[in-house]
Amino acid sequence: MTRYSLALLPGDGIGVEVMDAALAVLDTLERRLGATYFLRRPYPGGAQCYADTGSALPAETMSALKNADVILFGAMGLPHIRYPDGTEIAPQLDIRMELELYAGVRPIRALPGLASPLSDPRAADIDFVLVREQTEGLFYARGRAVVTHDDVLDTMRISRAGTTRVADFALALGSRRQLRGKPGRVTCVDKANVFTSMAFFREVFVERAALVTEVRADCAYVDATALNLVLKPWTFDVLVTENMFGDILSDLAAALIGGMGMAPSGDIGDEHALFQPAHGSAPDIVGTGRANPTAMLLSIVMMLDWLAERDRSSPLADAAALLDGAIASALAQREIVPFEFGGTSGTREITAAVISALQTAG
Ligand code: ATP
């Protein structure tokens, strides 16, 4: 059996709380399967680490991430700890650049049994994936602003290579989803009507899409997409977009299924992958026990699926399905209602319900 080195980055705020939940669930999963798939090791990093040591991501941490088979990340950043220029500590952005984790994969799926913030019953069918380019776009400007007394220029970069690889990723995902009975439609989300950079993003996407005939490809403007994500989110399948648009749309998308605590993510490159809940450190609820660990637990499902697919491992694919089913059945219980949905189930209750569902799953 292959054993994977799993680097753990709990980070700040509720990142630490949902990481504890993740490890308890992973332990149960492995016990249930009678296998130790992951050799786990935690590493320091984050805003508190910066305040304590002067480094948000110590060199040993970065080198461990490069050597690990896979990375599980909580959340990093705290509003009261900032760099001298006023920006927040966000080592996750540095990790994405350094490890070339160009595809930010954010699945948005409604889970049965939880009330939707949308009144239309079709909201129960929401099941799409937002793919956010993560190594350029407007985030390219980070650390490169041209500042004068009266002016600041932040530059957006769109390269052919950067767009090609993320477009190919999204198209391949569309193809795989089609094999699983999904529509296999990939939508390029841009602002090609205004910016030359975005027209280029669209042009490269269309070129790449022409090579993948089984996938239906189309393009939409980001403003109209924001509207349609609220009006008819069940019509989307795979969306691919620029870094900043993806950042904003992924929070909007998480709201469609109940909140940040429901939205997992994977930051995926050709050599490395990191899995993390789409939310941040949520300083407003840290220490209250209200953090919903679902996003983190679904990120473990994504991690298992990613390894299963890469290594063609059916035991890992089975482990992913087992955990996915346990999360769904825990949240389908009437007594489990996360705080985000107006209930009183917090980290402890949801984690315990998932563990119990894992132990009793047939
Ligand atoms: P970042 O920019 O670092 O991603 P953010 O500014 O988007 O962070 P979050 O930390 O994600 O902010 O929090 C946004 C809101 O969602 C907050 O009100 C927070 O309490 C809530 N929230 C985030 N994660 C969870 C969670 N796991 N469970 C419950 N509520 C959450």
Side-chain angles (χ1 to χ4, degrees):
M1 181 181 59
T2 310
R3 293 227 165 126
Y4 296 98
S5 56
L6 172 61
L8 307 170
L9 290 172
D12 299 306
I14 67 162
V16 178
E17 299 172 12
V18 296
M19 181 63 83
D20 286 345
L23 295 179
V25 167
L26 200 53
D27 284 348
T28 309
L29 180 69
E30 289 188 335
R31 259 200 311 276
R32 170 73 214 264
L33 296 170
T36 304
Y37 291 115
F38 296 101
L39 301 171
R40 314 132 161 83
R41 191 157 164 202
Y43 294 93
Q48 195 56 53
C49 180
Y50 174 77
D52 295 343
T53 68
S55 169
L57 204 63
E60 313 83 74
T61 296
M62 186 53 101
S63 105
L65 299 185
K66 287 182 178 159
N67 290 323
D69 290 310
V70 67
I71 304 161
L72 194 60
F73 184 104
M76 290 188 186
L78 291 168
H80 63 282
I81 302 175
R82 290 176 185 260
Y83 289 119
D85 71 355
T87 59
E88 270 195 42
I89 316 296
Q92 58 275 31
L93 302 179
D94 302 311
I95 296 170
R96 286 173 194 163
M97 295 289 181
E98 184 75 18
L99 302 186
E100 294 205 57
L101 306 176
Y102 57 86
V105 182
R106 283 109 195 271
I108 299 293
R109 184 166 49 113
L111 291 186
L114 292 172
S116 169
L118 301 179
S119 57
D120 191 308
R122 287 173 292 181
D125 300 329
I126 294 174
D127 180 0
F128 65 87
V129 184
L130 182 67
V131 179
R132 164 186 175 188
E133 200 295 320
Q134 295 198 139
T135 54
E136 49 184 36
L138 191 52
F139 278 67
Y140 175 79
R142 190 166 164 263
R144 294 187 173 93
V146 179
V147 182
T148 65
H149 183 262
D150 297 314
D151 212 22
V152 178
L153 287 180
D154 277 333
T155 304
M156 159 130 79
R157 174 171 197 244
I158 301 293
S159 72
R160 181 178 297 280
T163 308
T164 299
R165 65 185 182 179
V166 79
D168 287 352
F169 186 99
L171 292 160
L173 177 62
S175 231
R176 286 201 305 279
R177 280 173 65 86
Q178 195 180 44
L179 290 175
R180 298 205 315 267
K182 309 286 176 207
R185 172 172 155 240
V186 183
T187 306
C188 172
V189 179
D190 58 47
K191 192 72 184 166
N193 49 339
V194 175
F195 298 105
T196 311
S197 56
M198 290 280 89
F200 182 60
F201 188 87
R202 179 179 284 209
E203 184 186 310
V204 174
F205 170 79
V206 169
E207 273 170 28
R208 301 308 296 178
L211 305 173
V212 189
T213 46
E214 70 274 19
V215 164
R216 221 157 26 99
D218 56 15
C219 301
Y221 297 133
V222 65
D223 40 353
T225 302
L227 176 86
N228 287 325
L229 276 172
V230 176
L231 284 182
K232 43 180 181 175
W234 45 86
T235 62
F236 290 102
D237 189 14
V238 177
L239 302 155
V240 60
T241 192
E242 179 272 334
N243 208 339
M244 183 70 191
F245 293 162
D247 185 36
I248 298 167
L249 291 182
S250 56
D251 275 31
L252 189 160
L256 300 172
I257 50 164
M260 298 308 296
M262 297 301 295
S265 81
D267 294 343
I268 299 176
D270 293 331
E271 308 290 335
H272 302 278
L274 175 155
F275 296 86
Q276 64 171 126
H279 60 75
S281 61
D284 55 331
I285 56 165
V286 73
T288 65
R290 290 174 169 239
N292 180 355
T294 305
M296 179 56 135
L297 301 181
L298 290 171
S299 301
I300 299 180
V301 174
M302 291 181 73
M303 173 178 83
L304 292 164
D305 270 332
W306 179 77
L307 286 167
E309 195 166 308
R310 192 194 66 179
D311 296 351
R312 299 183 198 289
S313 159
S314 50
L316 283 177
D318 292 345
L322 180 66
L323 178 55
D324 197 43
I327 296 167
S329 83
L331 288 167
Q333 292 169 35
R334 268 199 308 144
E335 60 273 26
I336 294 293
V337 183
F339 279 94
E340 288 156 303
F341 293 81
T344 54
S345 310
T347 320
R348 201 153 33 101
E349 293 76 17
I350 298 171
T351 307
V354 173
I355 287 176
S356 146
L358 266 179
Q359 285 164 338
T360 54

